[in-house]
mmCIF file with all atom_site columns, all heavy atoms in Angstrom:
data_model
loop_
_atom_site.group_PDB
_atom_site.id
_atom_site.type_symbol
_atom_site.label_atom_id
_atom_site.label_alt_id
_atom_site.label_comp_id
_atom_site.label_asym_id
_atom_site.label_entity_id
_atom_site.label_seq_id
_atom_site.pdbx_PDB_ins_code
_atom_site.Cartn_x
_atom_site.Cartn_y
_atom_site.Cartn_z
_atom_site.occupancy
_atom_site.B_iso_or_equiv
_atom_site.pdbx_formal_charge
_atom_site.auth_seq_id
_atom_site.auth_comp_id
_atom_site.auth_asym_id
_atom_site.auth_atom_id
_atom_site.pdbx_PDB_model_num
ATOM 1  N N   . MET A 1 1  ? -23.284 12.862 -8.442 1.00 75.00 ? 1  MET A N   1
ATOM 2  C CA  . MET A 1 1  ? -24.020 12.637 -7.187 1.00 75.00 ? 1  MET A CA  1
ATOM 3  C C   . MET A 1 1  ? -25.208 13.607 -7.080 1.00 75.00 ? 1  MET A C   1
ATOM 4  O O   . MET A 1 1  ? -25.082 14.776 -7.408 1.00 75.00 ? 1  MET A O   1
ATOM 5  C CB  . MET A 1 1  ? -23.059 12.872 -6.015 1.00 75.00 ? 1  MET A CB  1
ATOM 6  C CG  . MET A 1 1  ? -23.634 12.500 -4.683 1.00 75.00 ? 1  MET A CG  1
ATOM 7  S SD  . MET A 1 1  ? -22.326 12.337 -3.460 1.00 75.00 ? 1  MET A SD  1
ATOM 8  C CE  . MET A 1 1  ? -23.293 11.908 -2.041 1.00 75.00 ? 1  MET A CE  1
ATOM 9  N N   . ASN A 1 2  ? -26.366 13.075 -6.646 1.00 86.00 ? 2  ASN A N   1
ATOM 10 C CA  . ASN A 1 2  ? -27.541 13.941 -6.502 1.00 86.00 ? 2  ASN A CA  1
ATOM 11 C C   . ASN A 1 2  ? -27.642 14.502 -5.091 1.00 86.00 ? 2  ASN A C   1
ATOM 12 O O   . ASN A 1 2  ? -27.600 13.761 -4.127 1.00 86.00 ? 2  ASN A O   1
ATOM 13 C CB  . ASN A 1 2  ? -28.820 13.144 -6.784 1.00 86.00 ? 2  ASN A CB  1
ATOM 14 C CG  . ASN A 1 2  ? -29.009 12.973 -8.275 1.00 86.00 ? 2  ASN A CG  1
ATOM 15 O OD1 . ASN A 1 2  ? -28.494 13.770 -9.061 1.00 86.00 ? 2  ASN A OD1 1
ATOM 16 N ND2 . ASN A 1 2  ? -29.725 11.929 -8.655 1.00 86.00 ? 2  ASN A ND2 1
ATOM 17 N N   . PHE A 1 3  ? -27.767 15.821 -5.014 1.00 97.00 ? 3  PHE A N   1
ATOM 18 C CA  . PHE A 1 3  ? -27.900 16.447 -3.704 1.00 97.00 ? 3  PHE A CA  1
ATOM 19 C C   . PHE A 1 3  ? -29.314 16.997 -3.557 1.00 97.00 ? 3  PHE A C   1
ATOM 20 O O   . PHE A 1 3  ? -29.932 17.434 -4.528 1.00 97.00 ? 3  PHE A O   1
ATOM 21 C CB  . PHE A 1 3  ? -26.898 17.605 -3.579 1.00 97.00 ? 3  PHE A CB  1
ATOM 22 C CG  . PHE A 1 3  ? -25.462 17.169 -3.569 1.00 97.00 ? 3  PHE A CG  1
ATOM 23 C CD1 . PHE A 1 3  ? -24.592 17.545 -4.586 1.00 97.00 ? 3  PHE A CD1 1
ATOM 24 C CD2 . PHE A 1 3  ? -24.970 16.393 -2.527 1.00 97.00 ? 3  PHE A CD2 1
ATOM 25 C CE1 . PHE A 1 3  ? -23.258 17.155 -4.569 1.00 97.00 ? 3  PHE A CE1 1
ATOM 26 C CE2 . PHE A 1 3  ? -23.634 16.002 -2.500 1.00 97.00 ? 3  PHE A CE2 1
ATOM 27 C CZ  . PHE A 1 3  ? -22.778 16.379 -3.521 1.00 97.00 ? 3  PHE A CZ  1
ATOM 28 N N   . THR A 1 8  ? -24.644 22.448 -6.920 1.00 98.00 ? 8  THR A N   1
ATOM 29 C CA  . THR A 1 8  ? -23.226 22.562 -7.252 1.00 98.00 ? 8  THR A CA  1
ATOM 30 C C   . THR A 1 8  ? -23.083 22.877 -8.744 1.00 98.00 ? 8  THR A C   1
ATOM 31 O O   . THR A 1 8  ? -23.898 22.449 -9.557 1.00 98.00 ? 8  THR A O   1
ATOM 32 C CB  . THR A 1 8  ? -22.448 21.264 -6.948 1.00 98.00 ? 8  THR A CB  1
ATOM 33 O OG1 . THR A 1 8  ? -22.995 20.215 -7.732 1.00 98.00 ? 8  THR A OG1 1
ATOM 34 C CG2 . THR A 1 8  ? -22.508 20.900 -5.483 1.00 98.00 ? 8  THR A CG2 1
ATOM 35 N N   . LYS A 1 34 ? -23.752 16.962 5.672  1.00 97.00 ? 34 LYS A N   1
ATOM 36 C CA  . LYS A 1 34 ? -23.162 15.779 5.019  1.00 97.00 ? 34 LYS A CA  1
ATOM 37 C C   . LYS A 1 34 ? -22.929 16.059 3.527  1.00 97.00 ? 34 LYS A C   1
ATOM 38 O O   . LYS A 1 34 ? -21.883 15.718 2.961  1.00 97.00 ? 34 LYS A O   1
ATOM 39 C CB  . LYS A 1 34 ? -24.146 14.616 5.181  1.00 97.00 ? 34 LYS A CB  1
ATOM 40 C CG  . LYS A 1 34 ? -23.523 13.267 5.066  1.00 97.00 ? 34 LYS A CG  1
ATOM 41 C CD  . LYS A 1 34 ? -24.520 12.228 5.538  1.00 97.00 ? 34 LYS A CD  1
ATOM 42 C CE  . LYS A 1 34 ? -24.051 10.856 5.100  1.00 97.00 ? 34 LYS A CE  1
ATOM 43 N NZ  . LYS A 1 34 ? -25.055 9.833  5.318  1.00 97.00 ? 34 LYS A NZ  1
ATOM 44 N N   . GLU A 1 35 ? -23.905 16.707 2.898  1.00 98.00 ? 35 GLU A N   1
ATOM 45 C CA  . GLU A 1 35 ? -23.770 17.016 1.472  1.00 98.00 ? 35 GLU A CA  1
ATOM 46 C C   . GLU A 1 35 ? -22.637 18.014 1.211  1.00 98.00 ? 35 GLU A C   1
ATOM 47 O O   . GLU A 1 35 ? -21.912 17.894 0.225  1.00 98.00 ? 35 GLU A O   1
ATOM 48 C CB  . GLU A 1 35 ? -25.106 17.553 0.917  1.00 98.00 ? 35 GLU A CB  1
ATOM 49 C CG  . GLU A 1 35 ? -26.175 16.466 0.843  1.00 98.00 ? 35 GLU A CG  1
ATOM 50 C CD  . GLU A 1 35 ? -27.496 16.944 0.244  1.00 98.00 ? 35 GLU A CD  1
ATOM 51 O OE1 . GLU A 1 35 ? -27.572 18.083 -0.252 1.00 98.00 ? 35 GLU A OE1 1
ATOM 52 O OE2 . GLU A 1 35 ? -28.465 16.157 0.273  1.00 98.00 ? 35 GLU A OE2 1
ATOM 53 N N   . ALA A 1 38 ? -19.518 16.057 1.257  1.00 98.00 ? 38 ALA A N   1
ATOM 54 C CA  . ALA A 1 38 ? -19.355 15.259 0.035  1.00 98.00 ? 38 ALA A CA  1
ATOM 55 C C   . ALA A 1 38 ? -18.948 16.148 -1.145 1.00 98.00 ? 38 ALA A C   1
ATOM 56 O O   . ALA A 1 38 ? -18.096 15.775 -1.968 1.00 98.00 ? 38 ALA A O   1
ATOM 57 C CB  . ALA A 1 38 ? -20.654 14.526 -0.279 1.00 98.00 ? 38 ALA A CB  1
ATOM 58 N N   . ALA A 1 39 ? -19.540 17.332 -1.227 1.00 98.00 ? 39 ALA A N   1
ATOM 59 C CA  . ALA A 1 39 ? -19.237 18.241 -2.347 1.00 98.00 ? 39 ALA A CA  1
ATOM 60 C C   . ALA A 1 39 ? -17.791 18.737 -2.276 1.00 98.00 ? 39 ALA A C   1
ATOM 61 O O   . ALA A 1 39 ? -17.104 18.820 -3.308 1.00 98.00 ? 39 ALA A O   1
ATOM 62 C CB  . ALA A 1 39 ? -20.209 19.421 -2.342 1.00 98.00 ? 39 ALA A CB  1
ATOM 63 N N   . ILE A 1 42 ? -15.621 16.000 -3.509 1.00 98.00 ? 42 ILE A N   1
ATOM 64 C CA  . ILE A 1 42 ? -15.659 15.903 -4.979 1.00 98.00 ? 42 ILE A CA  1
ATOM 65 C C   . ILE A 1 42 ? -14.743 16.972 -5.589 1.00 98.00 ? 42 ILE A C   1
ATOM 66 O O   . ILE A 1 42 ? -13.919 16.686 -6.458 1.00 98.00 ? 42 ILE A O   1
ATOM 67 C CB  . ILE A 1 42 ? -17.109 16.082 -5.510 1.00 98.00 ? 42 ILE A CB  1
ATOM 68 C CG1 . ILE A 1 42 ? -17.956 14.870 -5.150 1.00 98.00 ? 42 ILE A CG1 1
ATOM 69 C CG2 . ILE A 1 42 ? -17.117 16.321 -7.021 1.00 98.00 ? 42 ILE A CG2 1
ATOM 70 C CD1 . ILE A 1 42 ? -19.446 15.054 -5.399 1.00 98.00 ? 42 ILE A CD1 1
#
Side-chain angles (χ1 to χ4, degrees):
M1 188 163 180
N2 282 336
F3 293 116
T8 61
K34 202 168 166 190
E35 290 182 7
I42 290 169

